[in-house]
Amino acid sequence: MAQRDPACAPRSMLDFGSGLGTAVWASHTTWPSLTRILCVEPSTAMATMAQQLLSDPGHGAPAIAGVEHQAVLPATVEGQEMFDLVVSAHTLLDLHDLRARSDALQALWSKTRGSLVIVEAGNVEGYRTILEARAILLAAAAADGPKPGVLVAPVEPDLFIITHLLNHAYTSLSLYIY
């Protein structure tokens, strides 16, 4: 994303299934503009460790400010908080069925003001899950009306990015599939 749009400077991020905060570290390193980060992690042990690592990483690395932790994804409601960057990394396979994955993806898309990034394992199951997520999100984006989406890239076999046409530099793109 940063290579495609050097002017991209998200200010807020939702990390769904944040684990130890790997996506937070990568995103904050790429975009120091991030000032609001919400980590959603149901495992208390993982969330506690992430809080410790993000607030005092050691080895001279600076703490990442503006990070909040929650155990569940906030409900989708009218007037809800939206995020410039929404990430789901290695999380969808943990959801047990298509309905749970579809509900989670639609909730994540509804909270996305900028870009939604999905990352899954680079194996057969991860590939199937990415294809499933792609179909769900393209249908949701098409149904959004005033909030259309465009598939920017499967950059790797296990990653793709879908962004809103509004509030994004690629308003002239229709659909790119690599």
Side-chain angles (χ1 to χ4, degrees):
M1 286 175 47
Q3 287 177 344
R4 207 175 244 278
D5 181 6
C8 179
R11 296 182 52 81
S12 61
M13 174 184 179
L14 169 66
D15 186 3
F16 178 65
S18 59
L20 295 175
T22 308
V24 172
W25 282 107
S27 299
H28 193 268
T29 299
T30 303
W31 296 293
S33 57
L34 285 168
T35 57
R36 163 90 171 102
I37 301 169
L38 176 60
C39 295
V40 177
E41 175 55 55
S43 167
T44 304
M46 288 287 249
T48 300
M49 180 63 76
Q51 287 172 337
Q52 291 171 352
L53 290 171
L54 293 169
S55 64
D56 183 18
H59 304 289
I64 296 179
V67 180
E68 290 181 37
H69 296 266
Q70 288 184 201
V72 296
L73 191 62
T76 301
V77 294
E78 188 68 31
Q80 70 183 344
E81 180 179 15
M82 304 282 286
F83 296 86
D84 299 327
L85 175 63
V86 177
V87 177
S88 173
H90 303 284
T91 302
L92 295 177
L93 280 171
D94 293 338
L95 302 177
H96 301 293
D97 58 35
L98 175 61
R99 176 66 175 200
R101 289 188 296 277
S102 180
D103 289 350
L105 286 163
Q106 290 182 48
L108 292 173
W109 179 245
S110 76
K111 295 174 186 329
T112 304
R113 177 177 39 235
S115 299
L116 171 59
V117 178
I118 309 286
V119 180
E120 285 298 334
N123 58 26
V124 172
E125 218 35 53
Y127 179 72
R128 285 185 189 140
T129 302
I130 288 291
L131 290 180
E132 177 184 275
R134 178 184 183 276
I136 291 166
L137 288 169
L138 287 175
D144 263 347
K147 185 178 134 182
V150 59
L151 182 64
V152 172
V155 180
E156 300 292 332
D158 58 350
L159 169 97
F160 78 85
I161 304 165
I162 186 166
T163 68
H164 294 291
L165 287 174
L166 305 176
N167 301 321
H168 197 273
Y170 298 112
T171 55
S172 62
L173 299 180
S174 55
L175 178 66
Y176 277 81
I177 303 174
Y178 295 87

